[in-house]
Amino acid sequence: MEPLSFKVKKLQAPTDISVDFSLQLVGSLPVHSLTTMPVLPWIVAEIRRLSMPSSMEDPSTSQIRLYVSPASLRCGLDTGKSQQWDPLICSSLFEYKPQSVHKLIHNSHDPSYFACLIKDGAVNQQSICYVFRAADQTKVPEIISSIRQAGKIARQEEFQNNLSDVEDPFSKKFEVLFCGRVTVAHKNAPPALIDECIEKFNHVSCTKKLEFNSLSQQRETANNSGGLSFSDKLRSVFQPLVSEEEEKRPIRKSYSQPGLRSFSFKRDFQDGSCRSNSFASSFDETETSLNLKRQLSYGHNVVQPTDIAGNRTMLFTIGQSEVYLISPDTKKVALEKSFKEISFCSQGIRHVDHFGFICRESSGNGDCYFVCYVFQCTDEALVDEIMMTLKQAFTVAAVQQTSKAQLQLCEGCPMQCLHKLCEKIEGLHPSKAKLELQKHLTTLNNQEQASLFEQVQKLRPRNDQKENELIISVLRNMYEEKQKDHVHIWEAKQASQSSGETTGNEMPSSAPRFRLDMLKSKAKRSLTESLESILSRGSKTKGSLENSGSVDLDSSLSSTLSSTSKEPSVCEKEGPLPPETPAKTNGSVGDLSSDPVSHPIEQPDKLPQQGFRRRANTLSHLPIECQESLEPVETSPSILQRKLMRYHSVSTETPHKRNDYESKQSQLDVGNDTPVRTRRHSWRQQIFLRVATPQKGCDSPSRYDDYSELGDLPPRSPLEPVCEDGPFGPVKEDRKRTTRELRELWQKAILQQILLLRMEKENQKLQASENDLLNRRLKLDYEEITPCLKDVTLVWEKMLSTPGRSKTKTDMETIHSAVGQGVPRHHRGEIWKFLAEQYHLKHQFPSKQQPKDTPYKELLKQLTSQQHAILIDLGRTFPTHPYFSAQLGAGQLSLYNILKAYSLLDPEVGYCQGLSFVAGVLLLHMTEEDAFKMLKFLMFDMGLRKQYRPDMTILQIQMYQLSRLLHDYHRDLYNHLEEHEIGPSLYAAPWFLTMFASQFPLGFVARVFDMLFLQGSEVIFKVALSLLGSHKPLILQHENLETIVDFIKSILPNLGLVQMEKTINQVFEMDIAKQLQAYEVEYHVLQDELIDSSLNDNQRMDKLEKANTSLRKQNFDLLEELQVANGKIQNLEATVEILLNNECKLKQSILTLELERKALLQTVEDLHVQTGSPGGKHLLTRQECMDAN
């Protein structure tokens, strides 16, 4: 047959193609899934041969129409009419997905034929090859390109669908407490290992605590005595970055292990970002890693618990093939281990809420040891779930690995042998291909040869080409049957390794023996065929084509032998092979390189003495120049042999007549770790070189490199300037420094160190500020609704910069006006905190239900029982925002911390869907801890927590209030919704639970939060009423439930900026506080009436009696309170009466004193008049002045 070639023509087709072609289906044939491209042309020829009788009888039966689209590749009978395919009318011959087309082939000698190989049923290792024929051969490239384009589009769509289906790259996430790690002696351990590790952790913790107490007592004694050691002074100078809190806190010494963290985790730690002291100490690679290696080298069992005072909570994530440990505190991956590295998982026996696993670690010197990591969960049920998830993940990963390995080929695969044969004869003349096939048939046993000869002779081929096609067909069927029972090389190795581990030093199993026998037979067969080819080469004509064919055969046979000898068997690993092993004959270079210490160094001056023909130039057998000696050189095994290099010596002696001692000495020098030296010259040649190429300068060190091996330097050249002090410049005299100089050097070093530390601090601050700025820009990535003018921004900045603003009341009218004019986006977080402070100043008495004042950092150290619900909602909260889009990124981890802390702070509410959006909006405008405080303010002070309670009673009241508002303000819209049975819970429940954040743009939601902090929860009713009222005409146009709800949920949130601003302005003008209170009372009355109507007379009487008893009790309590109040009033009235009497008495005393004073003044005046003296006048004047004063 003519050789088939593969042509590809690029088609510029649109992304959505759907075309059909009228073709003739020549035939199909099931083939093995490992069929390669060189085998396909022979399969096509076999299909054409098998289909000839049927096509000659009735050619019309094979006319089909091929439909190509990204959805499917379908083949149906061609009815002759070009119409749309209908499954009820047309019958389909086959239908596959376009991505199932594995290979396409086009015959260049007969362009009207083409074939496609479709993978169908990878489980039973079967594929199907279809051959088509086109009436117009120019259409074939277009058909092939259409199929390729459809497959490409289908693969892209499948990939995108897989990404959308997977919520995040991790399959399961759990919150755990990381307890610590312990080095163990073996990869497997007893079930009680976890309990033993916990006891060791407790023991180490107690020991560390006692050591810390004793150390603190010593420090106190030293401080009281006023002494400070020299080491303390140095520590204070060279470690200024350690804070006092860190110094006082009992930090356990952590022994970091190499290879513990992922590369990205190490790089993040080296970036200078802020580190958490709670967990970084457990994974920081400091000098303690040297202690760990030293203890491991001595066989010590290293126990390393985590710091109890720090945040030990981790997110234990189980992926498809790896296990991750992510710290929500540091926002980094703390541990990353693949399933291959984990050898043991177990749950505690006495401590049922603990679990752990053993994984392999590598030390710096290449050795491996095993480490057990221990974790704690909230309860036993969570541990059981983690263990079950790990078991399922391990099982799925093993199945996937096995399925991937099924389609791999090894050197011993029968299908690989067929591939090499077809690859060798591709493009050869039929007669030469027949000769190659005959050579290949000699490798079969007698029974297989007889069976093949019998099948070929039955069909009586007309020429060599037909005979070759029949032989390939029979060989293909034979090799496919062999492939079913074939055991791959790596599977045999795994079986031998597992048997070797169990039997120890016993005799190897049957698998290695079988492997050894196979290597022997292949080597003997290759040697026999190579000798036969050499003998037959002389009797043939020496044409260029024949020579090339023999070279190809020889190279392929040698490559087969070399490939088999390249992988040593288990016998070679465990011990030396017997002398008859073919892998050790003929001086194989590959075997020589595998053991460089036990083989001699080649002598370059020895001539090769070959007993056989030259080996082919393959990857593992390069052309060799000599025959290696069988006597090894006695060298030390610790000395590494370097690559053999020939060093020329230019001397007066003949190089080839040097004594043996000198050559041996040079070989020893080469074997040692001495640097490679330059060529050695005699002193005459050195003088000649200096004269011929004079060098400038006398202080170049490279000029004297050649003299380093000589005892004395040669005489100088007359052209070289004389240096009196030596060839390398003047020699400085070594003298001992004085105490003053040493002190100055120390001071200079200390000052430089302090300067470097200060610069490092400043660089860290700059880096942190830059990161904070980028983070803020990323958070505030949304479009502003109401643009804030510069004057309004100045007003806000003035209010925010008021000294003591948390204790100073601001005029509410001013705040209300400023909020109405706009809130600057970059100040929004601070403004919300300012509004919360003003609320607290206005309401001096807090609400009855106030949470415990537990610090935020302490809450983060605990485990929450709401972790599953929180982790599921992380990916659903603002999935398109860049700050929250990264799976388990900084945004999602911060959000998880806030929601977890609130679930621990408020156990009654815990976590409810919708809280994640409220916390997410707060987190976008402020830090993590401030966002938690504002969430607590909204929930407890603003009263939002009522609607998140498990009974959802307040949410039902809110839905009734919204319906009543629609009934009173928009009666026609209310009637339209009631006509289609659309209640507020169908569309308004997310508005109340998420504060419009789940459906509306962030700019609009931010304005809603501005008013929420100012006016309270009634803002949600105002916004909802304004939205529905402004879109009333559009809602009334829809006439069924689906379209109305879809409009309110999908179209209504996509408002324009003008409409949004109009809605916000309407909200500021509305006042519905009294209506909301009335509707709430109305709801309770209606609820009581509904309950009363459902009761009978006896139940109603009992209820009334209970209510009467309760009212009587309340009446008695009120009477007691009234009596107490009356007694207080009487006491106060008596006190007031006494005070009034005292006041009257004091008034009378004042009047008496004033009359007495007037009388005295009159007497004095009369006396002055009677005397009439100037001194008296002067005295009177002085008296008047005194009276005036």
Side-chain angles (χ1 to χ4, degrees):
M1 62 174 283
E2 299 84 11
L4 296 172
S5 61
F6 184 68
K7 282 190 176 181
V8 178
K9 183 177 179 182
K10 207 167 185 179
L11 180 65
Q12 299 294 336
T15 56
D16 189 11
I17 58 172
S18 180
V19 293
D20 60 285
F21 304 95
S22 179
L23 302 171
Q24 179 184 355
L25 179 61
V26 179
S28 62
L29 191 67
V31 296
H32 199 274
S33 59
L34 297 177
T35 302
T36 57
M37 184 60 74
V39 187
L40 267 185
W42 302 97
I43 296 175
V44 173
E46 183 179 356
I47 294 174
R48 292 181 61 181
R49 178 177 55 82
L50 295 175
S51 63
M52 275 185 183
S54 60
S55 61
M56 291 176 63
E57 292 175 0
D58 189 5
S60 61
T61 57
S62 59
Q63 287 298 124
I64 56 97
R65 183 164 290 274
L66 187 66
Y67 300 90
V68 182
S69 68
S72 65
L73 180 68
R74 188 176 62 255
C75 178
L77 294 176
D78 191 2
T79 58
K81 299 178 182 179
S82 180
Q83 60 183 3
Q84 189 174 3
W85 184 80
D86 188 358
L88 299 177
I89 301 174
C90 305
S91 61
S92 177
L93 298 179
F94 64 83
E95 183 175 0
Y96 300 100
K97 293 182 178 180
Q99 58 266 35
S100 301
V101 179
H102 187 49
K103 289 181 175 63
L104 289 165
I105 190 169
H106 185 202
N107 191 349
S108 59
H109 293 278
D110 196 352
S112 59
Y113 286 88
F114 72 96
C116 63
L117 182 65
I118 298 176
K119 281 191 174 182
D120 182 31
V123 178
N124 53 4
Q125 296 186 351
Q126 285 294 324
S127 298
I128 300 179
C129 181
Y130 291 93
V131 179
F132 301 94
R133 182 177 181 274
D136 186 3
Q137 63 182 14
T138 59
K139 292 286 184 181
V140 175
E142 181 184 352
I143 298 171
I144 293 176
S145 300
S146 300
I147 296 174
R148 285 186 170 277
Q149 186 73 11
K152 183 179 179 181
I153 296 173
R155 278 189 293 271
Q156 291 177 353
E157 292 178 353
E158 185 178 11
F159 179 72
Q160 294 295 333
N161 293 334
N162 291 337
L163 287 181
S164 60
D165 292 341
V166 179
E167 190 168 322
D168 54 30
F170 306 119
S171 57
K172 272 293 185 73
K173 298 178 281 291
F174 308 91
E175 188 188 34
V176 297
L177 276 179
F178 178 49
C179 300
R181 54 189 177 182
V182 179
T183 57
V184 293
H186 199 264
K187 64 180 181 180
N188 294 324
L193 173 67
I194 306 301
D195 298 327
E196 294 177 1
C197 291
I198 295 171
E199 293 176 0
K200 291 179 181 179
F201 292 154
N202 295 333
H203 176 70
V204 172
S205 300
C206 295
T207 306
K208 293 288 183 182
K209 188 175 182 180
L210 293 175
E211 290 179 358
F212 174 75
N213 292 335
S214 61
L215 184 61
S216 61
Q217 291 177 1
Q218 291 178 4
R219 286 185 178 179
E220 289 178 0
T221 306
N223 291 335
N224 294 333
S225 62
L228 189 63
S229 63
F230 180 71
S231 60
D232 293 335
K233 292 180 180 179
L234 287 180
R235 191 179 298 110
S236 64
V237 171
F238 288 97
Q239 297 178 355
L241 292 175
V242 181
S243 62
E244 295 180 359
E245 295 179 358
E246 296 174 358
E247 220 169 86
K248 294 178 181 178
R249 196 168 54 120
I251 300 177
R252 293 197 181 104
K253 198 170 185 179
S254 63
Y255 300 95
S256 176
Q257 302 177 17
L260 179 66
R261 295 171 303 196
S262 62
F263 175 74
S264 60
F265 183 59
K266 295 178 183 176
R267 183 177 55 194
D268 292 340
F269 262 64
Q270 292 172 1
D271 286 342
S273 58
C274 57
R275 306 181 186 181
S276 174
N277 297 323
S278 60
F279 190 71
S281 58
S282 299
F283 290 95
D284 193 13
E285 289 187 358
T286 57
E287 60 182 4
T288 54
S289 61
L290 301 175
N291 298 335
L292 176 64
K293 294 178 182 178
R294 193 179 301 114
Q295 293 187 24
L296 288 172
S297 62
Y298 288 110
H300 294 171
N301 190 11
V302 180
V303 180
Q304 184 186 355
T306 52
D307 185 12
I308 300 176
N311 187 359
R312 302 182 297 158
T313 56
M314 296 287 141
L315 288 181
F316 184 74
T317 58
I318 304 173
Q320 296 180 356
S321 61
E322 291 175 317
V323 170
Y324 300 88
L325 199 65
I326 302 175
S327 171
D329 191 14
T330 60
K331 313 294 188 299
K332 292 181 177 65
V333 178
L335 182 67
E336 182 179 355
K337 291 293 176 184
S338 63
F339 289 167
K340 296 179 181 179
E341 298 174 314
I342 299 176
S343 60
F344 175 81
C345 295
S346 177
Q347 181 180 0
I349 298 175
R350 286 185 287 108
H351 303 82
V352 293
D353 57 343
H354 288 71
F355 77 98
F357 60 85
I358 296 178
C359 61
R360 184 177 66 251
E361 300 282 353
S362 59
S363 59
N365 54 2
D367 297 334
C368 293
Y369 56 93
F370 299 95
V371 180
C372 178
Y373 293 87
V374 183
F375 306 92
Q376 182 183 1
C377 299
T378 53
D379 51 12
E380 183 182 0
L382 185 60
V383 177
D384 294 337
E385 186 178 355
I386 292 175
M387 300 303 292
M388 184 62 67
T389 306
L390 282 172
K391 182 179 179 181
Q392 293 176 356
F394 290 158
T395 305
V396 171
V399 170
Q400 290 179 353
Q401 180 113 10
T402 306
S403 62
K404 288 180 181 179
Q406 283 180 355
L407 300 179
Q408 294 179 355
L409 286 171
C410 67
E411 291 295 333
C413 283
M415 295 302 295
Q416 176 72 4
C417 184
L418 180 64
H419 163 74
K420 290 183 177 180
L421 176 63
C422 295
E423 195 176 37
K424 185 188 299 183
I425 64 177
E426 184 177 2
L428 294 181
H429 192 269
S431 60
K432 295 180 181 178
K434 180 180 179 180
L435 179 62
E436 295 295 335
L437 289 174
Q438 289 177 356
K439 292 178 184 178
H440 181 76
L441 294 180
T442 58
T443 61
L444 305 177
N445 55 35
N446 296 332
Q447 184 179 359
E448 293 173 345
Q449 291 181 7
S451 174
L452 188 144
F453 180 76
E454 182 180 356
Q455 294 183 33
V456 172
Q457 290 301 319
K458 279 183 183 179
L459 298 175
R460 295 181 180 180
R462 296 190 301 260
N463 50 28
D464 291 344
Q465 180 62 33
K466 298 297 181 182
E467 183 178 352
N468 295 342
E469 293 176 2
L470 290 174
I471 292 174
I472 292 294
S473 176
V474 177
L475 284 176
R476 183 181 61 81
N477 294 328
M478 186 186 304
Y479 284 147
E480 285 183 358
E481 290 297 325
K482 286 184 178 181
Q483 187 69 33
K484 295 179 181 178
D485 303 328
H486 174 67
V487 178
H488 293 289
I489 293 176
W490 57 80
E491 294 176 356
K493 286 183 179 181
Q494 292 176 358
S496 62
Q497 287 176 0
S498 60
S499 62
E501 288 181 359
T502 54
T503 57
N505 295 327
E506 296 178 1
M507 294 296 293
S509 60
S510 59
R513 288 293 180 187
F514 173 76
R515 174 70 179 151
L516 182 60
D517 295 339
M518 186 174 64
L519 287 174
K520 289 181 182 180
S521 61
K522 283 188 176 182
K524 289 180 181 179
R525 196 181 308 151
S526 175
L527 184 60
T528 305
E529 291 175 359
S530 60
L531 290 174
E532 289 177 358
S533 64
I534 291 174
L535 294 175
S536 62
R537 195 176 302 168
S539 59
K540 293 179 181 179
T541 59
K542 297 182 179 180
S544 60
L545 294 176
E546 293 178 357
N547 291 335
S548 65
S550 62
V551 169
D552 291 340
L553 174 65
D554 193 27
S555 63
S556 64
L557 292 174
S558 61
S559 65
T560 304
L561 179 58
S562 64
S563 62
T564 55
S565 63
K566 186 162 49 177
E567 298 180 358
S569 64
V570 179
C571 297
E572 294 173 347
K573 293 179 180 178
E574 295 181 353
L577 285 173
E580 66 269 18
T581 304
K584 293 291 182 181
T585 59
N586 294 340
S588 174
V589 177
D591 296 332
L592 177 64
S593 61
S594 63
D595 192 6
V597 177
S598 60
H599 291 275
I601 302 174
E602 294 180 356
Q603 299 295 332
D605 52 351
K606 289 186 179 181
L607 296 176
Q609 298 176 0
Q610 298 181 357
F612 299 98
R613 64 180 178 86
R614 181 178 63 84
R615 295 295 301 263
N617 186 3
T618 58
L619 290 177
S620 61
H621 293 81
L622 300 175
I624 56 176
E625 298 292 336
C626 65
Q627 188 76 12
E628 288 82 357
S629 174
L630 297 178
E631 296 179 359
V633 177
E634 296 180 358
T635 57
S636 174
S638 62
I639 299 175
L640 298 176
Q641 298 291 337
R642 293 197 172 209
K643 186 178 178 181
L644 189 61
M645 299 177 65
R646 186 171 182 178
Y647 295 91
H648 301 277
S649 175
V650 182
S651 64
T652 55
E653 301 175 357
T654 307
H656 299 286
K657 293 183 180 181
R658 297 172 60 190
N659 52 18
D660 295 335
Y661 173 77
E662 201 172 8
S663 62
K664 289 179 181 178
Q665 188 66 29
S666 64
Q667 290 180 3
L668 290 175
D669 291 339
V670 171
N672 294 327
D673 291 336
T674 56
V676 179
R677 295 169 181 172
T678 55
R679 297 174 58 185
R680 300 182 61 181
H681 308 285
S682 65
W683 62 273
R684 294 187 182 87
Q685 289 172 337
Q686 291 165 3
I687 294 175
F688 169 75
L689 291 175
R690 285 201 300 268
V691 172
T693 56
Q695 300 178 4
K696 298 178 182 180
C698 61
D699 55 350
S700 177
S702 61
R703 297 178 56 197
Y704 299 93
D705 289 344
D706 296 335
Y707 311 144
S708 58
E709 297 178 358
L710 303 176
D712 298 325
L713 288 174
R716 300 180 184 273
S717 171
L719 300 178
E720 183 179 7
V722 179
C723 297
E724 294 294 336
D725 295 326
F728 300 102
V731 179
K732 293 185 178 180
E733 238 181 69
D734 293 337
R735 64 181 183 83
K736 190 175 181 180
R737 290 187 175 89
T738 61
T739 308
R740 182 178 179 181
E741 291 176 348
L742 291 174
R743 189 181 294 110
E744 290 177 354
L745 288 175
W746 270 105
Q747 289 178 354
K748 184 178 180 182
I750 292 171
L751 291 175
Q752 289 178 352
Q753 186 69 20
I754 293 173
L755 182 61
L756 288 174
L757 292 173
R758 288 179 179 175
M759 292 174 64
E760 184 180 355
K761 276 186 178 181
E762 293 299 325
N763 288 335
Q764 290 178 1
K765 289 180 181 178
L766 290 174
Q767 185 69 28
S769 62
E770 184 178 355
N771 293 336
D772 291 341
L773 183 61
L774 293 175
N775 203 12
R776 287 189 62 186
R777 287 180 180 175
L778 187 66
K779 285 182 175 182
L780 301 177
D781 186 17
Y782 62 84
E783 190 175 4
E784 192 79 46
I785 299 301
T786 305
C788 189
L789 300 178
K790 190 174 182 180
D791 298 338
V792 182
T793 304
L794 293 176
V795 171
W796 279 117
E797 290 178 353
K798 183 179 179 181
M799 283 191 287
L800 293 176
S801 61
T802 303
R805 71 179 192 188
S806 60
K807 298 180 181 180
T808 305
K809 286 186 179 181
T810 308
D811 185 22
M812 292 305 297
E813 292 295 331
T814 306
I815 297 176
H816 195 279
S817 174
V819 173
Q821 293 178 8
V823 175
R825 178 167 47 183
H826 56 283
H827 289 316
R828 180 162 272 136
E830 285 294 321
I831 291 172
W832 290 351
K833 290 191 287 184
F834 170 72
L835 294 176
E837 292 168 357
Q838 293 299 315
Y839 179 87
H840 286 144
L841 291 175
K842 184 179 179 181
H843 303 81
Q844 295 291 337
F845 300 100
S847 60
K848 296 180 180 179
Q849 294 182 347
Q850 281 295 323
K852 297 179 181 179
D853 193 11
T854 308
Y856 178 68
K857 295 295 183 183
E858 293 299 324
L859 291 172
L860 293 181
K861 297 178 184 179
Q862 305 174 25
L863 296 176
T864 177
S865 59
Q866 307 286 334
Q867 54 174 287
H868 282 307
I870 297 174
L871 290 170
I872 289 173
D873 285 347
L874 287 181
R876 304 172 182 173
T877 306
F878 300 115
T880 58
H881 195 277
Y883 185 65
F884 296 107
S885 60
Q887 296 294 334
L888 291 183
Q892 289 193 3
L893 291 176
S894 298
L895 184 60
Y896 175 80
N897 287 339
I898 295 174
L899 299 174
K900 165 194 165 182
Y902 184 81
S903 67
L904 294 169
L905 183 73
D906 189 3
E908 182 184 0
V909 173
Y911 172 75
C912 178
Q913 282 189 342
L915 271 178
S916 59
F917 285 94
V918 179
V921 173
L922 296 173
L923 187 60
L924 289 176
H925 296 88
M926 57 189 71
T927 62
E928 186 178 312
E929 190 168 356
D930 290 338
F932 173 73
K933 293 179 181 178
M934 290 299 101
L935 178 64
K936 188 168 62 172
F937 167 77
L938 291 176
M939 297 293 284
F940 287 93
D941 296 315
M942 289 294 181
L944 295 182
R945 68 180 298 273
K946 299 176 184 177
Q947 66 186 21
Y948 295 105
R949 286 176 178 172
D951 55 0
M952 293 285 182
T953 304
I954 301 300
L955 185 62
Q956 296 176 7
I957 297 175
Q958 290 172 341
M959 296 297 103
Y960 177 79
Q961 291 171 323
L962 181 60
S963 297
R964 291 288 285 111
L965 287 171
L966 286 175
H967 179 272
D968 293 349
Y969 286 89
H970 305 286
R971 181 68 63 87
D972 50 352
L973 178 61
Y974 172 81
N975 294 331
H976 184 70
L977 294 176
E978 287 294 324
E979 181 182 352
H980 295 89
E981 298 180 353
I982 301 175
S985 57
L986 289 179
Y987 58 87
W991 296 354
F992 284 86
L993 292 176
T994 66
M995 311 299 151
F996 300 92
S998 61
Q999 298 175 356
F1000 287 80
L1002 263 176
F1004 180 78
V1005 175
R1007 291 294 289 156
V1008 173
F1009 270 74
D1010 295 340
M1011 296 180 293
L1012 181 65
F1013 277 95
L1014 182 65
Q1015 300 178 3
S1017 58
E1018 67 179 64
V1019 170
I1020 307 174
F1021 294 97
K1022 296 180 182 180
V1023 175
L1025 189 62
S1026 177
L1027 287 173
L1028 294 173
S1030 59
H1031 292 81
K1032 180 170 60 176
L1034 297 176
I1035 297 175
L1036 293 176
Q1037 293 177 2
H1038 299 280
E1039 295 297 334
N1040 55 60
L1041 184 144
E1042 291 80 7
T1043 56
I1044 294 174
V1045 174
D1046 182 67
F1047 175 83
I1048 296 175
K1049 285 186 175 181
S1050 303
I1051 302 176
L1052 184 63
N1054 298 323
L1055 303 173
L1057 296 178
V1058 178
Q1059 186 64 38
M1060 289 183 184
E1061 191 171 358
K1062 181 180 178 182
T1063 302
I1064 297 300
N1065 294 332
Q1066 289 178 358
V1067 169
F1068 274 98
E1069 298 173 359
M1070 295 172 65
D1071 186 11
I1072 56 174
K1074 294 181 180 180
Q1075 291 92 323
L1076 292 176
Q1077 292 178 0
Y1079 297 152
E1080 185 176 358
V1081 174
E1082 185 178 317
Y1083 175 86
H1084 287 297
V1085 171
L1086 293 173
Q1087 189 178 27
D1088 292 340
E1089 291 179 357
L1090 181 64
I1091 294 174
D1092 292 341
S1093 64
S1094 62
L1095 299 177
N1096 54 27
D1097 295 338
N1098 294 330
Q1099 291 175 344
R1100 192 177 294 109
M1101 288 294 295
D1102 293 338
K1103 182 181 178 182
L1104 290 175
E1105 287 179 357
K1106 289 180 181 179
N1108 190 17
T1109 305
S1110 176
L1111 290 174
R1112 284 179 180 177
K1113 186 179 179 180
Q1114 292 179 7
N1115 192 14
F1116 289 145
D1117 294 339
L1118 291 174
L1119 285 175
E1120 290 178 0
E1121 292 179 3
L1122 182 60
Q1123 291 175 359
V1124 173
N1126 288 332
K1128 289 182 179 180
I1129 290 171
Q1130 291 176 1
N1131 293 332
L1132 292 173
E1133 287 178 350
T1135 305
V1136 168
E1137 187 177 357
I1138 293 171
L1139 292 174
L1140 289 174
N1141 293 330
N1142 292 333
E1143 185 181 3
C1144 292
K1145 292 178 181 180
L1146 291 173
K1147 286 181 179 180
Q1148 291 178 359
S1149 302
I1150 291 171
L1151 289 174
T1152 305
L1153 292 172
E1154 286 181 353
L1155 291 174
E1156 184 180 357
R1157 179 174 175 275
K1158 286 181 179 180
L1160 290 173
L1161 288 174
Q1162 185 64 35
T1163 304
V1164 170
E1165 186 177 357
D1166 294 341
L1167 290 173
H1168 287 177
V1169 171
Q1170 291 176 3
T1171 56
S1173 61
K1177 183 67 177 177
H1178 180 71
L1179 180 62
L1180 183 60
T1181 306
R1182 181 181 297 176
Q1183 184 67 33
E1184 289 177 355
C1185 292
M1186 291 175 63
D1187 294 338
N1189 292 332

